[in-house]
Amino acid sequence: MSALASLLRRHQADFGPILPVDLNAPEVARLDFTAANPLVVQADLRATAAFEGLIVQLLEARQATIGVGGYLENRVIYRRSPGLFGDDAQPARSLHLGVDIWLRAGTPVLAPLDAVVHSAQDNVGFGDYGPTVILEHELAGTTFYTLYGHLTRRETALLRPGMVIEKGGTFAEVGPAPENGDWPPHLHFQVIADLQGRVGDFPGVAAPAEKNKWVALCPDPNLILQSRHL
């Protein structure tokens, strides 16, 4: 376990929710986007409406209204954006480094800990993050970052580096398609130890062969979320 992961585990009582919903509730279910799920393998995900229909189908099958999952999941869904997640010049990226929470657009996004805005950027492009916010936190003398992808353009545009966000404060909303990178509405939540000089963006998907490198940089977001479904 990385030093940051150990720190987050020791301070779990200090974190607030990142959404105004209970991620331990019975109406929350873990969704599987790997090749082990035949519904995902057979689906044509290039059309966002069809992808959203798949999300609804997966949730209804679990009698759920909110879907969660994805950390270190080797996913097949990135085939919808091959130019973004791999091509002949680089290995395909399919290992997900954050947790996705699939729920309605417009849901407020909250800071889990006191923070300052590190950066905010609209990462446009089919299958990209869309509007993205990175918050900087300090905990027991250690600086780390949390990333929020697929947000609303209007709210994200109001943020500036250095703005203070108190724990529990609303700073963004879950975005709709197509402005959220053209995905079914969901929040991508990721924890990052070192941004490596990046601003407004950070890889959320990695090549499976580089798993150990990325796990050290991006520990399990459920150390903050603390959902029994993850």
Side-chain angles (χ1 to χ4, degrees), residues 82-97:
L84 185 61
F85 295 104
D87 53 35
D88 293 340
Q90 60 182 358
R93 296 187 297 127
S94 57
L95 190 72
H96 194 244
L97 301 175

Side-chain angles (χ1 to χ4, degrees), residues 1-15 71 97 112-113 134-147 189-196 202 212-226:
M1 181 177 291
S2 70
L4 177 56
S6 297
L7 176 69
L8 298 179
R9 186 177 296 278
R10 292 196 304 271
H11 288 268
Q12 285 188 308
D14 296 331
F15 300 123
Y71 181 61
L97 301 175
L113 198 67
I134 298 176
L135 297 184
E136 180 177 324
H137 310 275
E138 190 276 333
L139 183 63
T142 297
T143 298
F144 71 97
Y145 307 88
T146 51
L147 181 148
F189 176 63
Q190 187 169 336
V191 182
I192 304 165
D194 182 357
L195 287 171
Q196 301 180 323
F202 194 86
N212 290 340
K213 164 190 170 183
W214 290 101
V215 167
L217 276 173
C218 300
D220 187 352
N222 201 40
L223 292 167
I224 292 177
L225 298 175
Q226 301 172 60

Side-chain angles (χ1 to χ4, degrees), residues 63-124:
Q63 296 182 311
T65 56
I66 297 173
V68 295
Y71 181 61
L72 299 186
E73 191 173 68
N74 194 352
R75 292 174 157 185
V76 298
I77 59 175
Y78 301 116
R79 65 192 182 198
R80 72 193 299 256
S81 309
L84 185 61
F85 295 104
D87 53 35
D88 293 340
Q90 60 182 358
R93 296 187 297 127
S94 57
L95 190 72
H96 194 244
L97 301 175
V99 163
D100 284 338
I101 305 169
W102 306 83
L103 75 177
R104 66 173 181 82
T107 302
V109 181
L110 319 176
L113 198 67
D114 289 346
V116 298
V117 176
H118 174 275
S119 47
Q121 179 171 293
D122 193 352
N123 295 295
V124 297

Side-chain angles (χ1 to χ4, degrees), residues 16-72:
I18 67 166
L19 295 161
V21 298
D22 181 4
L23 294 181
N24 288 298
E27 60 268 21
V28 178
R30 186 166 186 164
L31 303 186
D32 178 2
F33 291 106
T34 71
N37 188 338
L39 288 176
V40 174
V41 173
Q42 296 164 12
D44 182 356
L45 305 179
R46 291 171 294 181
T48 303
F51 195 169
E52 189 157 1
L54 173 65
I55 299 295
V56 171
Q57 183 181 3
L58 294 174
L59 289 173
E60 287 180 345
R62 302 289 302 278
Q63 296 182 311
T65 56
I66 297 173
V68 295
Y71 181 61
L72 299 186

Side-chain angles (χ1 to χ4, degrees), residues 107-188:
T107 302
V109 181
L110 319 176
L113 198 67
D114 289 346
V116 298
V117 176
H118 174 275
S119 47
Q121 179 171 293
D122 193 352
N123 295 295
V124 297
F126 182 74
D128 210 324
Y129 280 136
T132 309
V133 174
I134 298 176
L135 297 184
E136 180 177 324
H137 310 275
E138 190 276 333
L139 183 63
T142 297
T143 298
F144 71 97
Y145 307 88
T146 51
L147 181 148
Y148 308 79
H150 313 299
L151 305 173
T152 53
R153 186 167 288 143
R154 179 191 61 192
E155 299 295 328
T156 304
L158 298 175
L159 300 176
R160 296 291 181 271
M163 289 178 64
V164 175
I165 310 292
E166 294 184 352
K167 175 182 172 180
T170 298
F171 63 93
E173 294 179 355
V174 175
E179 71 180 75
N180 67 351
D182 218 341
W183 291 88
H186 72 287
L187 176 68
H188 172 96

